[in-house]
Amino acid sequence: MKHKDYFNGANQGLASFGQFGLRVLNAEPSIENETFVAIQVLTDAVITSKLKPYPTPDSEIIGDAELTSLALTAGTIIYGRFYDVDVESGKVIAYKG
């Protein structure tokens, strides 16, 4: 998917409400080469993912560059630019962006 300008109010609103699509993920094979803007936890889950900087992949990330075996409880929503999402256990909805 081509990169979107999330500072544009219309695109930011669309992405935050899942209008670019979603994937329901569980402990199946990981999703690679797709970017997600939010991960909603349906059942307690453990995920691993890399984070993409904004606005370009060449930008520097301030903070952690990846999540490794992060335990999340059901009902949690995390936001960012996630890619190569691997759900080790549990079930999540990953919103595309």
Side-chain angles (χ1 to χ4, degrees), residues 38-43 75-78 91-95:
I39 298 175
Q40 178 180 7
V41 183
L42 299 176
T43 63
T76 300
I77 301 173
I78 58 174
K91 189 174 190 177
V92 305
I93 297 174
Y95 295 92

Side-chain angles (χ1 to χ4, degrees), residues 14-57:
L14 289 171
S16 66
F17 290 102
Q19 296 301 304
F20 295 134
L22 59 88
R23 292 205 185 267
V24 177
L25 306 174
N26 52 29
E28 298 295 319
S30 64
I31 298 294
E32 296 179 355
N33 301 317
E34 289 187 25
T35 302
F36 302 99
V37 295
I39 298 175
Q40 178 180 7
V41 183
L42 299 176
T43 63
D44 290 356
V46 176
I47 67 167
T48 294
S49 178
K50 295 178 184 168
L51 291 124
K52 278 187 178 179
Y54 184 86
T56 67

